[in-house]
């Protein structure tokens, strides 16, 4: 980080903090996905340099992740989506606790 970023949470509303939390979750997920793709590309390159494919070295058991379209969106913020895979985002859990169903959140 270039400069120390200071956020005054005492002056933020709960809504603003939740929006910030959602943005941070998306940024972290995007960062992790990018790093995972970079690592996979690097491993595939090294395998090719040694005359192998990654499948040759792993017995064809590599996990290829394609882009899965989102199935659910947050009714309060449609930019927040979830594919239905992996851990439920906080906004999904909160909606379920409020009595909504996954069908209510379907895009």
């Amino acid at each position: 980080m270039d400069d120390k970023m200071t956020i005054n949470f005492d002056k933020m509303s709960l809504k603003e903090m939740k929006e910030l939390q959602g943005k941070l979750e998306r940024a972290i997920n995007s960062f992790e996905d990018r790093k995972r793709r970079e690592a996979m590309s690097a491993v595939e390159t090294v395998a090719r340099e040694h005359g192998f494919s990654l499948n040759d070295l792993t017995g064809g058991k590599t996990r290829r992740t394609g882009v899965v379209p989102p199935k659910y969106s947050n009714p309060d913020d449609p930019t927040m989506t979830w594919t239905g895979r992996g851990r439920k985002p906080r906004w999904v859990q909160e909606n379920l606790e409020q009595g909504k169903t996954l069908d209510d959140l379907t895009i």
Side-chain angles (χ1 to χ4, degrees):
M1 195 182 289
D2 297 328
D3 292 303
K4 184 177 178 183
M5 184 170 65
T6 302
I7 298 174
N8 189 344
F9 294 104
D10 294 331
K11 293 187 178 185
M12 294 177 74
S13 69
L14 180 59
K15 181 181 178 187
E16 290 170 327
M17 286 189 277
K18 287 188 179 226
E19 287 173 359
L20 181 61
Q21 179 183 27
K23 288 178 183 178
L24 182 58
E25 280 183 27
R26 288 189 299 276
I28 289 170
N29 289 338
S30 175
F31 178 84
E32 289 174 337
D33 289 344
R34 186 174 62 253
K35 288 299 187 181
R36 192 174 294 110
R37 286 190 308 269
E38 289 172 4
M40 182 60 78
S41 178
V43 169
E44 288 172 340
T45 299
V46 170
R48 276 194 308 272
E49 288 172 358
H50 287 86
F52 297 98
S53 73
L54 193 52
N55 283 341
D56 293 338
L57 298 176
T58 61
K61 296 180 182 174
T62 58
R63 188 177 108 175
R64 283 289 183 175
T65 56
V67 175
V68 177
K71 292 171 76 175
Y72 308 101
S73 70
N74 185 347
D76 298 326
D77 182 358
T79 63
M80 298 174 78
T81 60
W82 180 49
T83 63
R85 295 183 177 183
R87 192 177 69 167
K88 289 182 183 100
R90 179 170 285 141
W91 62 265
V92 171
Q93 195 61 43
E94 289 171 354
N95 277 278
L96 294 175
E97 289 169 1
Q98 293 171 5
K100 293 187 179 172
T101 65
L102 284 178
D103 287 340
D104 297 327
L105 305 176
T106 302
I107 295 177

